[in-house]
Amino acid sequence: MQLKDTGKTRSATVAFCIAAVALQIGFAPQIEVMGGRINFMLILACIFILSGDTHRATIAGFFCGIAYDLTASVPVGLMSLILTVTCFISSGMFRGVQIGLNPNALRCTAIVMFAVNVLYGLLLFFMHVQTDLFWAIIGHGLSSTLLSLLVAVPFFVLAGSALSQGGFSARSRGTRYKGLR
């Protein structure tokens, strides 16, 4: 049974959401390396994926996608669709991965980010927003993944300490054994 302080996790979740939206609006449009941009909404969606709750991750994926679509000059609804489906599928696949800065969390995040960015680049190519297929996959997919993964490291360090689950509480309900005091 997992016991956690909901007040602490709720305030940390709100802080992560506000920080990600502010950075997406103010910082992400300013940096572009080889056609790739940092996607703070994708980083936030990956944090929700690793939280272990499929329902919350799916809803967060939808709102992160809408926030990305409204802050960039891209077709509205495309990233929202991709993130909603990806968060639903990935939160079930990566259910046992602990959030924080560890190899498993970074590996799962890299897989999700690469899949989302390559699929997004391909769909932009098929919608004739991108004109070069190679540039859509490598330029957008790979470089956006690498940039977002580098920026995700501080988010995962903070998420691991703020959203950590586990531990025991003094308010245990009906256990057979007494704990050490």
Side-chain angles (χ1 to χ4, degrees), residues 24 39 41-42 61-84 120 124:
Q24 183 68 37
N39 189 346
M41 296 292 104
L42 181 57
F62 174 75
F63 284 113
C64 288
I66 286 290
Y68 178 81
D69 288 337
L70 294 176
T71 59
S73 59
V74 293
V76 176
L78 182 61
M79 182 60 85
S80 179
L81 175 68
I82 292 171
L83 279 183
T84 303
Y120 190 68
L124 286 178

Side-chain angles (χ1 to χ4, degrees), residues 54-116:
T54 305
H55 183 68
R56 255 180 47 184
T58 305
I59 291 171
F62 174 75
F63 284 113
C64 288
I66 286 290
Y68 178 81
D69 288 337
L70 294 176
T71 59
S73 59
V74 293
V76 176
L78 182 61
M79 182 60 85
S80 179
L81 175 68
I82 292 171
L83 279 183
T84 303
V85 173
T86 302
C87 286
F88 177 73
I89 293 169
S90 300
S91 63
M93 287 174 47
F94 303 132
R95 186 171 299 267
V97 178
Q98 185 178 4
I99 195 166
L101 187 63
N102 58 50
N104 289 332
L106 289 177
R107 187 176 310 120
C108 295
T109 302
I111 291 169
V112 168
M113 285 184 179
F114 185 69
V116 166

Side-chain angles (χ1 to χ4, degrees), residues 68-172:
Y68 178 81
D69 288 337
L70 294 176
T71 59
S73 59
V74 293
V76 176
L78 182 61
M79 182 60 85
S80 179
L81 175 68
I82 292 171
L83 279 183
T84 303
V85 173
T86 302
C87 286
F88 177 73
I89 293 169
S90 300
S91 63
M93 287 174 47
F94 303 132
R95 186 171 299 267
V97 178
Q98 185 178 4
I99 195 166
L101 187 63
N102 58 50
N104 289 332
L106 289 177
R107 187 176 310 120
C108 295
T109 302
I111 291 169
V112 168
M113 285 184 179
F114 185 69
V116 166
N117 285 324
V118 167
L119 181 62
Y120 190 68
L122 281 173
L123 290 175
L124 286 178
F125 173 74
F126 290 131
M127 294 173 69
H128 300 291
V129 175
Q130 289 275 0
T131 56
D132 187 16
L133 179 64
F134 180 76
W135 190 254
I137 294 173
I138 300 299
H140 180 77
L142 189 61
S143 62
S144 292
T145 300
L146 292 175
L147 283 173
S148 296
L149 197 58
L150 285 174
V151 174
V153 170
F155 276 90
F156 280 109
V157 168
L158 293 173
S161 62
L163 301 177
S164 63
Q165 299 176 359
F168 294 100
S169 173
R171 292 182 265 144
S172 63

Side-chain angles (χ1 to χ4, degrees), residues 7-71:
K8 179 182 175 185
T9 57
R10 188 172 297 137
S11 63
T13 303
V14 169
F16 278 119
C17 291
I18 290 171
V21 168
L23 288 170
Q24 183 68 37
I25 292 170
F27 186 66
Q30 307 302 323
I31 299 202
E32 178 180 345
V33 176
M34 292 180 55
R37 293 185 182 269
I38 301 169
N39 189 346
F40 288 101
M41 296 292 104
L42 181 57
I43 295 168
L44 183 64
C46 288
I47 289 174
F48 278 103
I49 286 171
L50 295 178
S51 71
D53 186 9
T54 305
H55 183 68
R56 255 180 47 184
T58 305
I59 291 171
F62 174 75
F63 284 113
C64 288
I66 286 290
Y68 178 81
D69 288 337
L70 294 176
T71 59

